[in-house]
Amino acid sequence: MTPAPATEHALGRRAIALLDALSQYSDDPARLTRLYLSPAHRAAAEATLAFMRAAGLESRIDPLGSVVGRLEGQNPDRPALIIGSHIDTVVDAGRYDGTLGVVLGIVAVEALRERGIVPACPIEIIAFGDEENARFPTNLSTAYALSGRYDLRWLDGVDQDGLVLRDALRAFGGDASQIASVARRPEDYRGYLEVHIEQGPQLQAQDLPVGIVSAINGVSRARVTVTGEAGHAGTVPMDMRRDALAATAEMILAIETIGGKYPGTVATVGAAQIEPGAVNVIPARVVFTLDARSPDDTQRHAMVRQMTSACEAIAQRRKVDFDLKPFMDSPATAMDSGLMAVLDDSLSGLHIPPVRLASGAGHDAVAMAALCPTAMLFVRCKDGISHNPAESITVADADVAARVLIDTVTRLVA
Ligand code: HGY
Ligand code: MN
Ligand code: MN
């Protein structure tokens, strides 16, 4: 097969090259895991800082660990446009979730410079550090800080090794005393654009490279503790046990059933720790996580109440204790129609039908919508796979996404 001419999909190839460079920073040599404030997050943040500086952006790592690059443009006092996403990952992650939106922002600014376009307003690129909330019980903390909604209780959150966020932030080189300085004035920002893989199968099913996000589903998350009684696996009769894991198993099935009852709702128990965790000991305690989502907040709250009642009834019947501690209530968030209209124009200019799709996944855009008008562009990913090392996109689709972003940014900063 003849090699692709050097210029074909040049923007897409540049984005993939930056992504590949960042994918080497992992806390686990065997798989991509880059949790908030970890050494790998620090290394990836510094690499992102270097990419932003090389693209001509005045850049820094902010007190909460996000990387912020700024191009002043012709009129530094005008409201700025922000392009961003996150560079933290889940455990055993794919390399595109989050990081794609950051590198495409850099590619867009590089393209403006190559085309000799000096934006009429400032452009900021932000690589958020705590979107996955996979390490501490937080909620989009590094993005909410921009709209002054950082919840100081997050600083006392503890990871599974018992390390407190406040201490991890200090070890990272951050500064909890400067959180207020991260907050931005709404009047200084005209919009936030995030490009992200779809993490679902719709674009592939419609054979489309990109689509425009209409709204982002709401999310409830909680930490659940089930306490029974340890005992000898060989001697305690079955009808005299208070088996925390057997009770948990019944609760998880109840959660699954309720989570599937309403249109568009989902529920997941993603993590569980069993104590003492020995083959011949009846489990005394289980701590598990609940993640429940819906496009409708009233429905989501009703669903979580139903799950809680069902679990309490199981706990009572099995004589175990049940404690549910919510730690996230993220609202369903509509995207900005004005920015969506500009994205429509860019897609039409590229002869791509501008489809709308709801996001089942949460994004920094939910938090940024509290600061300024916000919109997202989804990029097709193979079989909708994400939060999985098999996550993948094509160079051609990365190229389309780059061209749409550059066109939309050019329209907005003309
Ligand atoms: O969980 C989510 O929806 C996102 O990937 N953090
Ligand atoms: Mn993401
Ligand atoms: Mn994710």
Side-chain angles (χ1 to χ4, degrees), residues 3-14 399:
T7 53
E8 188 185 28
H9 303 150
L11 295 166
R13 278 148 16 100
R14 172 67 177 152
D399 196 75

Side-chain angles (χ1 to χ4, degrees), residues 113-380:
R113 190 171 59 171
E114 277 156 29
R115 299 174 190 186
I117 298 173
V118 179
C121 68
I123 294 176
E124 282 190 16
I125 300 178
I126 305 183
F128 292 111
D130 187 29
E131 189 278 342
E132 297 291 2
N133 314 125
R135 180 177 182 188
F136 299 103
T138 53
N139 176 22
L140 305 174
S141 66
T142 52
Y144 269 120
L146 269 78
S147 58
R149 286 168 173 77
Y150 189 93
D151 184 333
L152 293 175
R153 290 173 296 178
W154 290 334
L155 289 169
D156 300 321
V158 177
D159 71 8
Q160 62 181 25
D161 299 326
L163 191 63
V164 180
L165 193 157
R166 185 191 309 274
D167 298 337
L169 183 62
R170 190 180 309 112
F172 178 91
D175 184 350
S177 71
Q178 295 303 311
I179 289 173
S181 72
V182 176
R184 306 292 212 277
R185 298 187 316 164
E187 58 269 32
D188 291 339
Y189 291 90
R190 59 179 301 184
Y192 171 77
L193 291 176
E194 179 166 0
V195 183
H196 199 287
I197 53 170
E198 178 198 343
Q199 300 177 301
Q202 297 179 63
L203 288 173
Q204 177 171 287
Q206 298 179 50
D207 193 21
L208 289 170
V210 293
I212 297 168
V213 176
S214 54
I216 300 172
N217 283 2
V219 190
S220 295
R221 283 189 188 160
R223 193 171 304 284
V224 179
T225 304
V226 178
T227 310
E229 185 179 34
H232 194 300
T235 59
V236 181
M238 293 306 282
D239 61 357
M240 291 175 68
R241 296 181 174 205
R242 296 198 305 120
D243 183 332
L245 184 54
T248 298
E250 202 174 335
M251 290 175 189
I252 292 172
L253 291 177
I255 286 165
E256 184 190 43
T257 303
I258 297 166
K261 263 173 70 175
Y262 306 100
T265 63
V266 290
T268 312
V269 174
Q273 284 142 351
I274 302 162
E275 293 173 14
V279 63
N280 57 353
V281 178
I282 300 167
R285 197 169 91 114
V286 177
V287 178
F288 67 85
T289 59
L290 170 64
D291 176 306
R293 309 191 189 199
S294 168
D296 176 303
D297 288 346
T298 306
Q299 186 178 73
R300 172 167 56 89
H301 292 140
M303 179 170 69
V304 172
R305 281 195 299 274
Q306 273 188 48
M307 291 170 178
T308 306
S309 307
C311 291
E312 283 168 343
I314 292 165
Q316 193 171 12
R317 176 163 42 82
R318 287 173 167 268
K319 300 186 183 60
V320 297
D321 294 330
F322 169 82
D323 176 56
L324 180 141
K325 279 199 178 36
F327 66 84
M328 180 190 286
D329 185 339
S330 182
T333 305
M335 297 290 95
D336 178 74
S337 54
L339 288 177
M340 282 197 262
V342 181
L343 284 166
D344 281 337
D345 292 344
S346 295
L347 264 64
S348 303
L350 291 169
H351 310 299
I352 299 169
V355 295
R356 295 278 189 279
L357 52 167
S359 175
H363 299 286
D364 288 304
V366 170
M368 290 306 288
L371 175 71
C372 61
T374 291
M376 288 190 75
L377 181 75
F378 268 174
V379 184
R380 170 171 49 190

Side-chain angles (χ1 to χ4, degrees), residues 86 88-90 97-98 131-132 196 199 361-363 386-387 391:
H86 61 95
D88 65 315
T89 76
V90 292
D97 175 359
E131 189 278 342
E132 297 291 2
H196 199 287
Q199 300 177 301
H363 299 286
S386 182
H387 285 189
E391 189 180 276

Side-chain angles (χ1 to χ4, degrees), residues 14 43-57 59 61 67 106:
R14 172 67 177 152
E46 289 180 1
T48 304
L49 187 69
F51 291 149
M52 287 185 183
R53 284 177 175 159
L57 294 145
S59 308
I61 297 177
V67 188
I106 294 168

